[in-house]
Amino acid sequence: MNQVINDFSKLNLKKDSIVTIGKFDSVHKGHQKLIKYTVNYAENHNLLSIAVVIKKKNVSIYTIEENTAFIKALGINYIIVIDFLPEFYTMEAKEFFNKLIEYYRMKHIAVGTDFAFGKDRMGDSEFLKKYSKECGIGVSFIKFLNYKGDKISSSYIRDELSNGNMVSVNKMLGREYAMSGLVVHGNALGRKIGYPTANLEVQKNIFIPKMGVYSSTVKIGNGENVYQALTFIGISNINKELRVESHILDFSKMIYGKKITIVLLKYIRDNIKVNSIDEVKKLLENDEKKIRKYFKRRTKQCLSLQTKKQK
């Protein structure tokens, strides 16, 4: 049973719960550790598991729908999405904690060691140790995970996305970073020069990785086929709008209006100012060569790993 509730109000629950709280933007490996702990604790103590997700008001790595889908996949019973409105961030820590008890029959709370909630972030670890004891509520503090000596965090991931460091991003996420959305009409320039592209409808308030060209893969809808692609992120010279567009290799079908998922695998080059369509075509031809070589190496590496495992 997984349920997403977009309201901070009392639920009619049949039993007590363990609650975890956070923004959970990107649901990276540190978040996953905390959520898995919550799920396991609930199963071992006959409790319901609840994740209270504080919806970000600024730029996020993923949409709230994508984040809740990641959390759902980890087995949480209820996901409560709270808008970051004045009535929430001006609420005293004690009042918020009491509401968790009242609304969700909370008997245990699990948070990261550095998490804080309530007005002026007064609901920190010291507050929780003291006030949870007064209320007879159990508390668990989950240590964060490190990557290359620093704490895994959404801000760290955004920094690495800004630098096009996809290997680091994927290691911190525990999965391949992807951008999803509908295919919309573009300026059709790519089609005219033999490089038709699928133009991604970019969601508002979504963090954009380093602009440039990437080796990537594309999935269409819920299909199983994974296509090799050249993906461009940049500002259109024609209308000055942000564009995320993929030229899918060896593919010619029309996919307007369909959902695609683009996985950015390796940063290839920065955007270069060009003065003619011929220059654009030469650049893309060179990019395609590099990307095909990249996928050949990748395939060899995968086959080599499979052979080692079989031995």
Side-chain angles (χ1 to χ4, degrees):
M1 173 189 67
N2 297 112
Q3 204 170 337
V4 179
I5 297 161
N6 293 292
D7 187 23
F8 187 49
S9 60
K10 190 170 184 177
L11 296 183
N12 183 24
L13 300 178
K14 302 298 181 192
K15 58 183 181 180
D16 297 332
S17 74
I18 173 174
V19 173
T20 187
I21 316 166
K23 290 178 183 172
F24 298 119
D25 182 25
S26 79
V27 192
H28 55 62
K29 285 175 85 172
H31 294 144
Q32 291 165 34
K33 181 183 177 184
L34 175 57
I35 293 163
K36 285 174 183 175
Y37 175 90
T38 304
V39 170
N40 290 336
Y41 190 99
E43 289 172 353
N44 293 333
H45 294 83
N46 193 29
L47 299 171
L48 291 169
S49 57
I50 297 176
V52 175
V53 180
I54 302 162
K55 191 176 176 182
K56 290 188 70 179
K57 60 178 180 178
N58 48 7
V59 175
S60 300
I61 296 168
Y62 286 97
T63 66
I64 191 66
E65 291 78 18
E66 287 167 330
N67 280 329
T68 52
F70 294 143
I71 295 170
K72 262 188 180 184
L74 296 169
I76 282 275
N77 297 133
Y78 290 92
I79 301 168
I80 313 297
V81 180
I82 301 177
D83 278 313
F84 197 67
L85 298 171
E87 55 264 38
F88 172 70
Y89 62 76
T90 57
M91 194 184 296
E92 296 290 344
K94 280 187 180 181
E95 184 186 354
F96 180 65
F97 193 86
N98 291 340
K99 284 185 183 294
L100 294 177
I101 298 170
E102 178 193 350
Y103 290 173
Y104 310 126
R105 294 180 58 174
M106 182 176 75
K107 288 294 178 189
H108 200 95
I109 185 168
V111 293
T113 49
D114 59 347
F115 182 74
F117 59 89
K119 187 179 178 181
D120 300 323
R121 291 175 57 85
M122 293 300 290
D124 58 11
S125 57
E126 290 307 309
F127 166 86
L128 277 174
K129 284 173 191 172
K130 186 180 176 185
Y131 195 62
S132 62
K133 195 173 182 180
E134 287 177 26
C135 298
I137 304 298
V139 60
S140 296
F141 296 103
I142 308 304
K143 289 181 181 177
F144 51 75
L145 297 177
N146 285 333
Y147 177 72
K148 290 186 176 178
D150 288 315
K151 172 192 166 187
I152 293 177
S153 66
S154 298
S155 58
Y156 191 179
I157 292 168
R158 285 194 295 272
D159 288 344
E160 293 300 274
L161 281 171
S162 294
N163 292 316
N165 294 333
M166 304 316 300
V167 171
S168 294
V169 168
N170 295 343
K171 285 192 174 175
M172 287 191 280
L173 287 176
R175 61 174 144 16
E176 290 179 324
Y177 168 82
M179 303 178 79
S180 297
L182 298 178
V183 176
V184 295
H185 287 272
N187 55 35
L189 175 63
R191 188 168 296 281
K192 289 173 188 171
I193 59 174
Y195 283 88
T197 58
N199 298 282
L200 188 74
E201 182 181 44
V202 182
Q203 301 279 342
K204 286 182 181 178
N205 293 331
I206 287 297
F207 188 84
I208 303 300
K210 183 178 182 180
M211 294 192 186
V213 174
Y214 291 81
S215 291
S216 59
T217 60
V218 171
K219 278 183 76 172
I220 301 164
N222 295 319
E224 290 185 4
N225 287 340
V226 177
Y227 301 95
Q228 297 173 2
L230 176 164
T231 295
F232 164 81
I233 300 176
I235 305 298
S236 166
N237 288 325
I238 295 171
N239 56 18
K240 305 304 176 187
E241 287 181 355
L242 173 72
R243 306 195 74 81
V244 177
E245 47 189 339
S246 293
H247 170 65
I248 306 172
L249 303 183
D250 310 316
F251 185 88
S252 59
K253 293 178 184 175
M254 289 289 189
I255 52 174
Y256 291 121
K258 293 195 175 181
K259 182 185 175 183
I260 61 169
T261 301
I262 303 169
V263 172
L264 303 179
L265 295 170
K266 185 175 175 59
Y267 190 82
I268 298 299
R269 67 163 172 86
D270 293 343
N271 290 335
I272 299 168
K273 190 175 180 181
V274 289
N275 300 308
S276 69
I277 288 177
D278 280 343
E279 282 185 31
V280 175
K281 191 172 182 181
K282 282 177 184 174
L283 263 180
L284 291 173
E285 284 171 353
N286 193 42
D287 292 338
E288 183 184 345
K289 283 178 187 173
K290 285 181 183 176
I291 284 164
R292 286 189 185 276
K293 279 183 183 176
Y294 166 80
F295 279 110
K296 272 187 182 178
R297 285 197 306 271
R298 187 177 160 93
T299 303
K300 280 181 182 176
Q301 285 168 357
C302 287
L303 288 170
S304 176
L305 282 172
Q306 284 174 2
T307 305
K308 282 179 183 176
K309 282 180 183 177
Q310 286 169 0
K311 287 179 179 177

